[in-house]
Amino acid sequence: MKNKVVASSNGSVGIAAAHEILHSGGTSLDAVVTALSLVEANPDDHSVGYSGLPNMLGEVELDASVMVGIGLRAGSVGALRGYQDAALLSKHVMDSLPHVLIVGEGASRFASECGLDFCDLLTEEARTVWQSKMSSADPDRELDGFLERMREIVASIATDPQLVEPPHGTVNFICQDREGRIASGVSTSGWAWKYPGRVGDSPIIGAGNYCDDRYGAATCTGRGEMAQRACTAHSIVMFMRFGESVETSVRTALRDLGALDDPFASEMNVIALDAAGKPYAGSTASGKTYIYLEEGMSEFAEMDREHVAVDFD
Ligand code: ASP
């Protein structure tokens, strides 16, 4: 079996490092965490880690998870403030605590205990994007009429020429070593202007991330509330468990989202890898890509995701 790495396209800054770790005999988990850490440190990516876009109050809150396909071990953090290494902290949760998910102040406390570096995650660039949708001069009133504000913000984003990229995003990595051992990881700053304390799908095992060596792995980006309600990552792996191909599993899970009643429904993207090492990716939006690198390739390939049209009305 060949080493392989599958990732969302914004994982391009980490994919070579992940591959190198696998090549030199490292674990698929170390490959995933190292790759995610590089994306979290990338100041040009406003959807993950340092320089992520903040919540409605201008505070950056990170979500992340890691999962290991042997023994179904997992760790995750939600609404983490003040530390960029959300994926590494997820690994520490998995390795050192009898828990899966730590959130908010507890997550920051644990990051400090683990010796991670405290930093201000909000950059000037991200602050400027955040402020462009803020209307209240009084910071204490920012959360008044939150739902209405969110509707206005979402509607204005669709026509905002300055926001060429959607103001949300996430990075996904799935790595498999020569023995077929799989690990998967997800990291994000979540939806910009979200309600403080909102946790998306990325740290929820089964929603944004799921990995089982016997069948395969899947991870998500997109509107997390949809993956949370449909258990999208777990569904994909379960479809493979019951004999569906990775292609059909991805397609079926995305089509299932059409059953959701969600006025904020928007795109969902998934990447998956079956136990035999076959990657596949899909999106409810057209023109999306993912990246892939396996032993023997000199550089990663950017591949088209299947566009799975879903009627959200
Ligand atoms: N899934 C992320 C979340 O809901 C955001 C994204 O991928 O766009 O937090």
Side-chain angles (χ1 to χ4, degrees):
M1 199 163 213
K2 290 179 174 175
N3 291 326
K4 55 200 55 149
V5 186
V6 197
S8 52
S9 294
N10 58 341
S12 57
V13 299
I15 194 166
H19 190 251
E20 189 49 44
I21 287 172
L22 293 174
H23 186 67
S24 51
T27 66
S28 42
L29 177 64
D30 282 343
V32 163
V33 172
T34 299
L36 291 176
S37 300
L38 288 166
V39 183
E40 288 164 345
N42 179 10
D44 297 329
D45 191 326
H46 297 303
S47 67
V48 180
Y50 176 72
S51 89
L53 292 174
N55 66 22
M56 194 66 102
L57 297 179
E59 301 153 334
V60 181
E61 293 185 325
L62 306 182
D63 295 343
S65 65
V66 295
M67 187 161 185
V68 177
I70 187 158
L72 309 183
R73 298 177 63 230
S76 57
V77 295
L80 169 69
R81 294 190 195 166
Y83 295 84
Q84 78 180 32
D85 296 308
L88 179 62
L89 188 60
S90 300
K91 179 178 182 297
H92 284 308
V93 171
M94 181 176 80
D95 290 342
S96 314
L97 295 178
H99 306 308
V100 170
L101 171 60
I102 303 292
V103 303
E105 278 179 29
S108 299
R109 167 191 284 262
F110 186 55
S112 164
E113 284 171 10
C114 291
L116 302 190
D117 291 331
F118 180 86
C119 76
D120 182 359
L121 299 171
L122 185 65
T123 60
E124 266 322 297
E125 213 179 328
R127 187 196 303 275
T128 304
V129 175
W130 168 70
Q131 264 169 347
S132 69
K133 302 291 173 202
M134 290 291 104
S135 52
S136 171
D138 177 358
D140 291 340
R141 308 296 306 265
E142 288 296 3
L143 295 176
D144 289 358
F146 175 81
L147 188 59
E148 201 42 50
R149 296 277 312 278
M150 202 63 185
R151 281 199 193 101
E152 284 165 19
I153 288 172
V154 168
S156 71
I157 282 165
T159 54
D160 188 336
Q162 288 189 311
L163 290 174
V164 283
E165 305 256 323
H168 56 86
T170 296
V171 61
N172 293 165
F173 268 91
I174 302 175
C175 296
Q176 187 179 41
D177 70 15
R178 291 193 192 104
E179 274 72 53
R181 297 204 182 94
I182 311 174
S184 55
V186 180
S187 186
T188 187
S189 50
W191 275 62
W193 301 287
K194 62 192 171 186
Y195 197 91
R198 177 266 189 185
V199 171
D201 59 323
S202 307
I204 307 297
I205 298 305
N209 187 3
Y210 201 72
C211 180
D212 184 330
D213 274 9
R214 297 170 295 178
Y215 316 113
T219 51
C220 305
T221 69
R223 176 162 161 74
E225 282 75 2
M226 293 164 64
Q228 284 172 318
R229 288 162 62 189
C231 301
T232 301
H234 185 259
S235 297
I236 292 171
V237 176
M238 285 306 104
F239 295 145
M240 293 195 279
R241 172 181 186 160
F242 290 114
E244 298 294 353
S245 66
V246 64
E247 293 92 336
T248 302
S249 301
V250 162
R251 215 171 279 142
T252 307
L254 289 176
R255 284 197 186 124
D256 273 358
L257 300 173
L260 299 176
D261 176 5
D262 182 358
F264 288 92
S266 66
E267 72 181 65
M268 180 59 60
N269 315 287
V270 299
I271 63 170
L273 184 79
D274 70 17
K278 183 169 194 192
Y280 202 65
S283 175
T284 60
S286 61
K288 297 285 176 167
T289 60
Y290 70 107
I291 55 177
Y292 176 69
L293 181 57
E294 72 169 29
E295 220 166 346
M297 291 167 65
S298 56
E299 55 185 40
F300 69 81
E302 183 148 21
M303 330 259 280
D304 291 333
R305 292 179 188 249
E306 176 178 342
H307 174 211
V308 181
V310 178
D311 187 359
F312 290 124
D313 292 334

